[in-house]
Amino acid sequence: MAAQGATATRSGLRSALPLLAPAYLWLTVAIFLPLSAMVFFSFMTELSLSGKPWAFTLGNYAAFFSQSLYLTLLLASLRLGLEVTLWCIVIGYPAAYVLAKVLKGRSREAIFLLVILPFWSNGLVRIFSWAMVLREGGILDTALNAVLPFKINIDLMYSYPAVIIGLVHSYVPYMVLTCYLTLQAIDDSLIEAGRSLGATRLQVLKRIIIPLSMPGLVAGAALIFVPVVGSFMEPRILGGRTGTFYGTVIEDQFVAVFNWPLGAALSFILLAVVLVILAVASPVLRRAA
Amino acid sequence: MAGVQVSNVSRSFGAHKALDDVSIDFADGGFYALLGPSGSGKTTLLRQIAGFDFPDSGRIAIGGESVERVPVEKRRIGMVFQNYALFPNMSVADNVAFGLSVRGEPKATTATEVQRALDLVQLSKLGGRRPHQLSGGQRQRVALARAIVTKPRVLLLDEPLGALDKALRVDMQIELKRIQREIGITTIFVTHDQEEALTMSDRIGILRDGRLVQEGPPEEIYDRPQSEFAATFLGDANIFRGDATGDGIRLSDGTAIAAGAGAKLTAGARASCAVRPERIQISTGAGRSDAGGANVLNGQVSKRIFAGSNSTYFVDRDGQTLKVIIQNTGAERLAEGQDVVLRWSPESTVLIAAV
Ligand SMILES: Nc1ncnc2c1ncn2[C@@H]1O[C@H](COP(=O)(O)OP(=O)(O)OP(=O)(O)O)[C@@H](O)[C@H]1O
Ligand SMILES: [Mg+2]
């Protein structure tokens, strides 16, 4: 019986191989090769593009620990990731709830389109649009002053809030989508059953809806937290001088200082830290869900 | 415990009247079956009573008090949904405990109440399981335990046995009835299945297109249907149409059919007579005199279906096919194509006004 089963799986694998091959080939070329090149770079003293001599070193990794600046920036980036993720939950989850459980038919499609729209616009265009809105004398400033009876000065440009706003706007669709999918899968009769058993709307939310949609919340949080911690475009353009984060430092090493080995080493440290955080958080979150 | 009074309730979805002026008095402690074809408004009526949806007009009272402004969670009802609606993120015991814990009952009393409810549905050993680890019948019992543990005033059941196979269904019918009798709770039970309605309930209401067609004890509805629809929907019936004669009808070919039950109609009006298939006697016609003013019709057997304990004969007569069910006593069987005589008493014939 067991042997038969094993043969069956093996022959199943063999027939699936031609179908899987292109995917694995693509993964090898697109991810594994560049990544291993980066691992290699991160241990070099010098990128020998100009034919300079180079040697293997651990110095790039040591640099992270010898200068407190990197750790400070990493912590700032982690905090940024956490804050953006929280804002995305605060904004995205209720939106997903309304989409999945309140709206029906045409209005649902229309709102859905609005939520997805940031996905379809170019990232740079999006960020520069925010720059136009947030700067002094920009759209927000002008509009508020047109409505309010007193004069106020709104200049959010080149500030931490501007970075948060830009990042939240870019990433909130992930949260809406993942939460929408799990919320939509919750049968309305579960909510009605909860109410008929004497639970208020709030109790139903806390004890049925949120636990059942936890997988969506976790997936959305992971999808947002990881790229935000390493983000550089929004911090640089909207943050100005306040927008120095771990990601921007890595970017500098690649495009400005041309110290690829250091940039690569810093990236891998970030990757390791993020993986550790996800590994620690996942059992806790799984239990909550 | 409390009765439920539904008075002149109407509910429309757009132009469609899902409930049209429905009035039913659900007696305290009774077991009431709501029967009707798909889309007739059974679920809609339950949802009005539960408070998930609100009538456009009319009044609903539970225990004598109007519940117009009472939200679902304050109505103290128990509901068992067609798909059970167990919470997948909780164990069986937590599902049952839900209603008690949201109202802040102490942990100790909750635990004993939950255990008692699980004992009642004979699932005391499965409290630690998740709903997806249960069979259909077990899930249904968990749903029932969850609904009754809060001691609701009214139990609403929306086709709770719909997904079960025949044997399990019969088991669950017996168990449900036992539990209902044990705690004496007012129960409103929606079903598609006429046999289920007949065997389980003290009263039956038949809905059609949002209207209450007829309402009463099972025997009364079965023996004295007030419409062709009620006659054919609850059980089988042979329907004859003709003109009322005062104590029956006259068919278009002049044959008179006497009716001993049903409506009193003035002569000449359009009317129907209904006869249950098992009330008709079938014979070859030889050696019997027509005694006692029985209704007699001649026909020809067109088909016979053997079903073990009984047989169904289809008899053609003047363009109409009549259905006759007789017990299989081992006596001679009638062949297809044979000429036969049908006899039944006027007392078995119900006169119905044409609509
Ligand atoms: N929320 C709604 N919106 C629009 N129409 C509805 C809604 N709920 C019910 N209806 C309509 O009302 C009518 C009665 O529906 P209901 O669910 O009460 O039928 P039912 O008797 O329970 O049928 P079934 O036996 O198939 O469950 C149907 O025609 C249905 O399409
Ligand atoms: Mg229904």
Side-chain angles (χ1 to χ4, degrees):
Chain A
M1 239 349 240
Q4 225 173 7
T7 347
T9 11
R10 213 173 302 139
S11 69
L13 198 66
R14 197 175 308 142
S15 60
L17 216 53
L19 297 175
L20 288 172
Y24 278 108
L25 201 68
W26 168 249
L27 282 178
T28 316
V29 174
I31 295 177
F32 188 69
L33 288 182
L35 211 62
S36 27
M38 278 296 155
V39 173
F40 189 70
F41 289 160
S42 72
F43 290 106
M44 292 165 87
T45 48
E46 192 92 42
L47 195 65
S48 63
L49 287 177
S50 45
K52 279 194 218 152
W54 61 275
F56 280 114
T57 176
L58 287 175
N60 297 315
Y61 288 92
F64 175 85
F65 296 99
S66 60
Q67 281 191 43
S68 67
L69 173 70
Y70 292 127
L71 186 62
T72 315
L73 287 178
L74 180 59
L75 289 177
S77 281
L78 290 174
R79 186 182 142 207
L80 181 72
L82 203 64
E83 274 184 43
V84 170
T85 306
L86 285 179
W87 279 112
C88 284
I89 291 174
V90 167
I91 295 168
Y93 191 82
Y97 182 84
V98 170
L99 272 175
K101 291 287 167 215
V102 181
L103 295 177
K104 297 265 163 346
R106 281 227 157 270
S107 50
R108 174 189 288 185
E109 286 165 27
I111 304 285
F112 214 103
L113 209 64
L114 284 181
V115 171
I116 304 301
L117 222 51
F119 263 172
W120 294 346
S121 60
N122 178 286
L124 269 178
V125 171
R126 206 158 56 213
I127 296 166
F128 278 112
S129 319
W130 272 116
M132 283 167 59
V133 172
L134 297 177
R135 68 164 207 270
E136 187 174 13
I139 295 169
L140 184 65
D141 194 21
T142 318
L144 274 182
N145 278 315
V147 181
L148 294 175
F150 48 90
K151 173 103 183 106
I152 51 164
N153 259 334
I154 300 260
D155 183 13
L156 285 173
M157 203 51 196
Y158 305 129
S159 69
Y160 189 67
V163 178
I164 298 267
I165 290 173
L167 283 168
V168 168
H169 180 233
S170 297
Y171 286 98
V172 82
Y174 288 102
M175 187 59 76
V176 176
L177 280 179
T178 56
C179 290
Y180 173 78
L181 289 178
T182 48
L183 281 168
Q184 207 207 18
I186 299 175
D187 197 331
D188 283 345
S189 66
L190 292 182
I191 298 168
E192 292 182 345
R195 296 289 304 284
S196 75
L197 289 165
T200 61
R201 282 172 201 278
L202 200 66
Q203 282 172 318
V204 168
L205 184 72
K206 271 204 307 225
R207 304 183 55 160
I208 299 168
I209 298 176
I210 290 181
L212 285 177
S213 56
M214 196 52 96
L217 274 171
V218 172
L223 280 177
I224 293 167
F225 181 75
V226 176
V228 166
V229 172
S231 67
F232 54 86
M233 209 155 63
E234 288 88 350
R236 194 179 293 289
I237 298 171
L238 296 174
R241 256 187 313 115
T242 60
T244 309
F245 288 93
Y246 198 74
T248 58
V249 170
I250 295 177
E251 191 215 3
D252 279 340
Q253 305 310 315
F254 281 97
V255 303
V257 191
F258 291 109
N259 190 349
W260 284 30
L262 180 59
L266 292 176
S267 307
F268 283 112
I269 290 170
L270 176 62
L271 185 64
V273 169
V274 166
L275 285 180
V276 166
I277 291 175
L278 291 185
V280 169
S282 71
V284 177
L285 290 172
R286 203 168 314 132
R287 208 166 321 123
Chain B
M1 250 32 84
V4 177
Q5 290 80 42
V6 171
S7 320
N8 308 101
V9 164
S10 296
R11 173 76 170 106
S12 300
F13 298 106
H16 179 79
K17 282 192 166 177
L19 290 176
D20 189 359
D21 196 25
V22 173
S23 301
I24 309 180
D25 194 347
F26 300 95
D28 189 358
F31 195 110
Y32 200 104
L34 282 176
L35 199 60
S38 188
S40 57
K42 305 182 295 292
T43 300
T44 307
L45 180 57
L46 277 201
R47 293 175 60 80
Q48 315 297 314
I49 297 171
F52 299 134
D53 193 34
F54 297 92
D56 301 328
S57 63
R59 181 172 171 278
I60 294 171
I62 300 178
E65 281 170 41
S66 171
V67 288
E68 196 181 349
R69 303 196 176 281
V70 184
V72 183
E73 64 266 23
K74 298 260 167 59
R75 290 197 182 187
R76 295 181 37 223
I77 47 135
M79 179 129 181
V80 174
F81 293 78
Q82 183 161 14
N83 62 356
Y84 313 132
L86 299 179
F87 307 129
N89 54 322
M90 300 176 200
S91 69
V92 165
D94 287 344
N95 261 281
V96 178
F98 184 88
L100 297 172
S101 77
V102 290
R103 74 176 65 148
E105 296 280 335
K107 280 234 161 55
T109 40
T110 300
T112 48
E113 289 291 322
V114 167
Q115 197 51 49
R116 192 178 307 158
L118 285 176
D119 285 343
L120 196 65
V121 296
Q122 295 165 6
L123 284 179
S124 31
K125 292 204 179 66
L126 300 186
R129 293 234 191 132
R130 289 288 173 119
H132 67 86
Q133 297 167 318
L134 300 177
S135 73
Q138 290 168 337
R139 280 180 216 181
Q140 196 258 323
R141 282 183 276 167
V142 175
L144 190 61
R146 185 180 68 175
I148 58 180
V149 77
T150 56
K151 302 210 166 51
R153 300 184 290 177
V154 182
L155 190 57
L156 305 173
L157 306 157
D158 194 356
E159 299 194 41
L161 310 180
L164 307 182
D165 65 51
K166 183 80 184 161
L168 189 55
R169 209 179 157 107
V170 172
D171 282 352
M172 291 312 304
Q173 286 173 2
I174 294 168
E175 201 153 335
L176 185 58
K177 192 69 196 166
R178 172 181 66 81
I179 292 168
Q180 192 265 339
R181 224 177 268 134
E182 213 164 296
I183 55 181
I185 186 173
T186 311
T187 302
I188 306 174
F189 181 89
V190 165
T191 176
H192 255 99
D193 184 336
Q194 38 157 308
E195 206 179 305
E196 199 164 87
L198 284 170
T199 53
M200 293 181 75
S201 49
D202 336 311
R203 282 181 93 82
I204 294 177
I206 298 181
L207 284 171
R208 182 199 195 183
D209 297 334
R211 290 185 149 271
L212 185 67
V213 174
Q214 193 175 347
E215 193 264 345
E219 298 84 356
E220 185 187 307
I221 298 191
Y222 190 78
D223 291 340
R224 302 204 190 323
Q226 289 164 2
S227 60
E228 283 185 23
F229 178 81
T232 51
F233 192 77
L234 192 76
D236 254 324
N238 294 299
I239 303 285
F240 301 96
R241 296 197 182 92
D243 297 315
T245 57
D247 59 351
I249 59 169
R250 188 174 303 285
L251 305 184
S252 54
D253 67 354
T255 314
I257 292 181
K264 291 273 165 283
L265 298 176
T266 52
R270 297 291 298 163
S272 317
C273 279
V275 190
R276 298 292 178 190
E278 71 277 9
R279 301 282 174 83
I280 302 180
Q281 287 163 8
I282 188 167
S283 66
T284 54
R288 261 184 89 167
S289 59
D290 294 342
N295 289 308
V296 181
L297 287 176
N298 295 311
Q300 189 180 38
V301 175
S302 66
K303 201 177 163 122
R304 170 176 167 257
I305 295 173
F306 176 73
S309 66
N310 61 52
S311 290
T312 303
Y313 288 93
F314 291 92
V315 177
D316 282 345
R317 188 243 153 226
D318 197 20
Q320 190 180 8
T321 301
L322 305 174
K323 198 171 171 184
V324 180
I325 298 177
I326 59 160
Q327 292 299 309
N328 283 328
T329 55
E332 62 159 326
R333 285 168 189 154
L334 300 165
E336 294 181 1
Q338 193 164 3
D339 287 324
V340 290
V341 178
L342 305 178
R343 283 191 182 81
W344 69 95
S345 73
E347 286 70 48
S348 300
T349 313
V350 185
L351 186 62
I352 293 168
V355 275

